[in-house]
Amino acid sequence: MSKVPDLVKRLLVGRALRSTALHHQLLPKRVALPVFASDALSSVAYAPQEILVILSLAGVGLYAISPWVAAAVVLVMLVVVASYRQNVHAYPSGGGDYEVATTNLGPTAGLTVASALLVDYVLTVAVSVANGADYVGATIPFVAEHRPLVAIAIVVLLTIMNLRGIRESGVAFAVPTYAFMAAVIGMILWGLFRLLVLGQELRAPTANYRLLAEQTNIAGFALAFLVLRAFSSGCAALTGVEAISNGVPAFRKPKSKNAATTLLMMGLIAVTMFGGIIFLGLASGVKVTDPATVARDLIIDGHPAGPGYYQQPIIAQVASAVFGGGSALFVVIAAVTALILFLAANTAFNGFPVLGSILAQDRYLPRQLHTRGDRLAFSNGIVILAAGACLLIWAFDADVSKLLNLYIVGVFVSFTLSQIGMVRHWTRHLRTESDAKARFRMMRARVINGVGAVMTGLVLVVVLATKFTHGAYIVCLAMPLLFLMMKGIRRHYDRVAAELAAPEESEVDESMLPARNHAVVLVSKIHKPTLRALAYARATRPSSIEAVSVSVDAGEANKLKDEWDRRGIGVPLKILDSPYREITGPVLEYVKSLRRRSPRDVVTVYIPEYVVGRWWEHLLHNQSALRLKGRLLFKPGVMVTSVPWQLASSDRLRRRREPSAPGASRRSYQQPSKDAQVGT
């Protein structure tokens, strides 16, 4: 039975790796960049567009402000990248923002960061995959009609890839990520060359279209609020920056240096792509608006676009302007963009399990999240992340516009608390540092982190103010619930640890020293499993032993007693009456009565069980034994021992000869001599 699932597991995940092979799974910078940066890089597929969509509410005239909004986003990104370079040098263990906040601001701040990051990682997978499904659905009608189902299937595929191990998934994702970077940067360079050197005009497919403003003649506070809302939407480009600080242990040595270099490369590439797409989009006359209102707000040749109109994403429009619509390079841009949006979820698949492992080690999450799977990946964390993302995709019908409103709140909570923690970190070290050069480096780092804390804090306020009523409130509710859950798990583990703590040698817990061991062998009928259980119980030399059977039928009980006496089995048989034909209840009551008579005695219950080899045979055997064991486990002073008997269908008996070993033979029960018989 166990071989079929194991075979499927090996086909999907691969062969198990030894723990000593962990260093072979560490990533060089060329592989780490696509593994950890795919989320941040893929954001250029939607972050520039989100800025223009929000500004379009006041008409195309407000597009003139978009370069300044984009510049503000770029400034924040550069500051955050510079700040996190300090983080990876100071805290290379992989705890990232959680470790920084816990160490410098206390456990409450650390758990706040952890809850924010866990929620944001789940949203990263849901948003990226749903957005990728949108790109594919624009050209394949089946995907558009079954978007949630396709998105969930992609999440399952990503899960399998990541279960195969960090290095293997990184190599698989490296090619499409580098292809996306090369395609987009190549498009930007060729577009700039045509525009600035050749003097050619770039025309987007929507350049001649007209946009109707949802809000006209706005000024003052309303204008400022709209610009801030556009800025907060553009800050989606910053998601994924923190992933490298959480994944430092996955880098090759020197870990901190390699992680910092990768972080800098990611920041520069993302800024270049983000700024280039905004510039070329404005230069080519791109028009984008809210997908919910595009049918009426976009005017084509004097008429509304209508419900059948499909709004091309900004990258597709820029590619059409630079390379020509329908050209081979245009198709390449569209294909790699859709692919990178799917692969952007891989950043979360690397960050979430590592953070979950650290939280489990600190006893804030179940301990199973701390252990590595067959392929040395944190398999349990990967599966939980995938399940959460699939649930969100199903609940929101894979609607990107709805999911985006939940996005980036958590990541800016972690950004802000992490940078405040780093300021305190450098302040604490400056008190004891006397070397002038070291003090200068620390003061410079403190200034960088201080600026980062102020800027990310302001962005967080803007995000909450502009997105709260549009869905961000859900994240604001989910984070405290997750926080309280982790606090409850920690209290449970602390309580269990205190209860199980071993006493000092000078202290003797009398409850751990039973006066006697009373053996109870459960009997349903006299057959080989029963005789083996009796023999095994006798071999443990208990203080007393008896066989117990439950009478659900008086005739069967009398037959059992007669056969017991006829065989002369030297163990007394006690038959418990069960007027309601229940087996578990009478046994529990009898065991409790033994404990009441002698509270210091231990009662050991021996249960004969069949070992079967076919899955359907498990449904036909051992059900009463399973129920009974489950109930007896809650009784203090009661030990439960299963005595197995392998049936012919089990692999061990059918495929190879059973070795001659103590307790392995299947001899018939030998009637013991009178001197060896045990009575009560």
Side-chain angles (χ1 to χ4, degrees), residues 475-508:
V475 177
C476 296
L477 292 175
M479 285 170 49
L481 290 176
L482 189 56
F483 177 92
L484 294 174
M485 183 195 76
M486 290 192 288
K487 293 282 282 187
I489 292 174
R490 176 59 186 263
R491 282 196 298 270
H492 168 77
Y493 278 134
D494 288 345
R495 184 169 59 250
V496 170
E499 191 173 341
L500 299 181
E504 299 294 333
E505 293 184 1
S506 58
E507 302 176 9
V508 178

Side-chain angles (χ1 to χ4, degrees), residues 81-101 103-104 244-246 248-249 255-260 263 418-419 421-429 441-442 445-446 449:
V81 168
S83 300
Y84 271 88
R85 280 171 56 84
Q86 316 304 317
N87 288 36
V88 298
H89 285 298
Y91 294 91
S93 63
D97 294 342
Y98 165 70
E99 184 180 3
V100 172
T103 304
N104 299 287
I244 290 180
S245 68
N246 294 329
V248 177
K255 295 178 180 292
S256 296
K257 181 180 178 181
N258 288 336
L263 183 58
S418 173
Q419 298 314 303
M422 287 301 297
V423 171
R424 294 195 65 177
H425 167 84
W426 298 123
T427 302
R428 187 175 67 253
H429 282 274
R441 288 195 300 269
M442 290 179 183
R446 184 171 64 174
N449 289 126

Side-chain angles (χ1 to χ4, degrees), residues 101-350:
T102 301
T103 304
N104 299 287
L105 303 177
T108 300
L111 272 191
T112 302
V113 168
S115 60
L117 284 175
L118 292 176
V119 171
D120 196 72
Y121 280 137
V122 176
L123 282 166
T124 295
V125 177
V127 169
S128 299
V129 173
N131 204 5
D134 270 349
Y135 270 79
V136 178
T139 55
I140 304 177
F142 175 83
V143 174
E145 295 171 4
H146 303 86
R147 188 174 54 187
L149 182 62
V150 172
I152 290 173
I154 295 296
V155 173
V156 172
L157 179 62
L158 290 171
T159 302
I160 294 172
M161 289 300 301
N162 280 277
L163 288 174
R164 295 185 67 88
I166 296 176
R167 183 177 178 84
E168 191 164 341
S169 64
V171 172
F173 296 156
V175 174
T177 304
Y178 279 120
F180 173 74
M181 289 189 288
V184 173
I185 293 176
M187 178 186 70
I188 293 171
L189 292 176
W190 181 242
L192 292 175
F193 180 78
R194 286 186 58 190
L195 193 67
L196 303 178
V197 178
L198 300 180
Q200 298 176 354
E201 184 183 18
L202 301 180
R203 300 290 293 176
T206 57
N208 296 325
Y209 298 171
R210 190 163 55 88
L211 280 177
L212 292 180
E214 289 282 325
Q215 304 172 19
T216 58
N217 300 322
I218 63 171
F221 178 79
L223 177 61
F225 184 83
L226 188 66
V227 173
L228 288 176
R229 186 179 169 191
F231 169 72
S232 67
S233 296
C235 283
L238 275 73
T239 56
V241 172
E242 81 291 344
I244 290 180
S245 68
N246 294 329
V248 177
F251 284 80
R252 284 183 179 174
K253 295 181 179 180
K255 295 178 180 292
S256 296
K257 181 180 178 181
N258 288 336
T261 303
T262 304
L263 183 58
L264 179 61
M265 293 167 57
M266 179 201 71
L268 294 177
I269 294 171
V271 164
T272 301
M273 295 165 66
F274 180 84
I277 290 173
I278 281 281
F279 178 80
L280 291 179
L282 294 175
S284 61
V286 165
K287 306 288 193 312
V288 289
T289 188
D290 190 341
T293 61
V294 66
R296 70 169 188 269
D297 289 348
L298 190 66
I299 306 301
I300 305 174
D301 297 330
H303 302 284
Y309 175 77
Y310 167 70
Q311 178 173 262
Q312 285 189 335
I314 187 171
I315 286 186
Q317 293 198 44
V318 171
S320 179
V322 174
F323 299 122
S327 64
L329 291 176
F330 171 82
V331 174
V332 169
I333 291 289
V336 296
T337 301
L339 191 57
I340 193 64
L341 284 167
F342 288 136
L343 301 187
N346 196 53
T347 298
F349 273 105
N350 285 281

